[in-house]
Amino acid sequence: MLRPLLGEFVMLDAVSANLLNVRSLPSTSSTVVGQLTRGMVIVTTPVQYNWVQFRFGSTFGFVSGSYLQKVHDLSRLTGSVNTDLLNIRQAPSTSARY
């Protein structure tokens, strides 16, 4: 049985492959539901046999842990803003004050 993402073993991992297939189940024979690119960071939970589970859109996806590197230095995580104006809110809601 697969455990939900909100388990006790949540980790941050960075994709080390140029292109990594996201699968519907933890198996190379399962359906590819998307792809990740090198350097993307995901919040993962170990599942079984070196596979990890993570939130992928409105569902969960699975990737092989062989193509991930643990993120230890959170100060190196960066992002970019692709808009002219960005509201920083006090809570995770569009109705929250900014």
Side-chain angles (χ1 to χ4, degrees):
M1 178 172 181
L2 301 176
R3 295 174 13 162
L5 182 63
L6 298 176
E8 57 187 276
F9 302 109
V10 174
M11 298 172 288
L12 280 180
D13 291 306
V15 176
S16 59
N18 288 331
L19 202 59
L20 181 59
N21 287 332
V22 178
R23 301 207 175 255
S24 60
L25 294 169
S27 166
T28 56
S29 61
S30 68
T31 304
V32 174
V33 295
Q35 294 181 318
L36 303 176
T37 56
R38 180 183 296 275
M40 293 179 82
V41 176
I42 56 176
V43 178
T44 63
T45 300
V47 179
Q48 59 188 8
Y49 306 113
N50 200 33
W51 285 85
V52 299
Q53 177 184 28
F54 67 104
R55 176 70 68 187
F56 189 69
S58 61
T59 186
F60 293 103
F62 299 87
V63 294
S64 170
S66 299
Y67 303 101
L68 300 173
Q69 292 180 329
K70 302 291 175 235
V71 174
H72 298 290
D73 185 1
L74 299 182
S75 68
R76 299 186 66 182
L77 294 178
T78 61
S80 59
V81 176
N82 60 358
T83 185
D84 294 330
L85 180 65
L86 178 66
N87 293 326
I88 307 297
R89 305 216 177 242
Q90 294 179 354
S93 168
T94 56
S95 60
R97 290 186 51 189
Y98 56 91

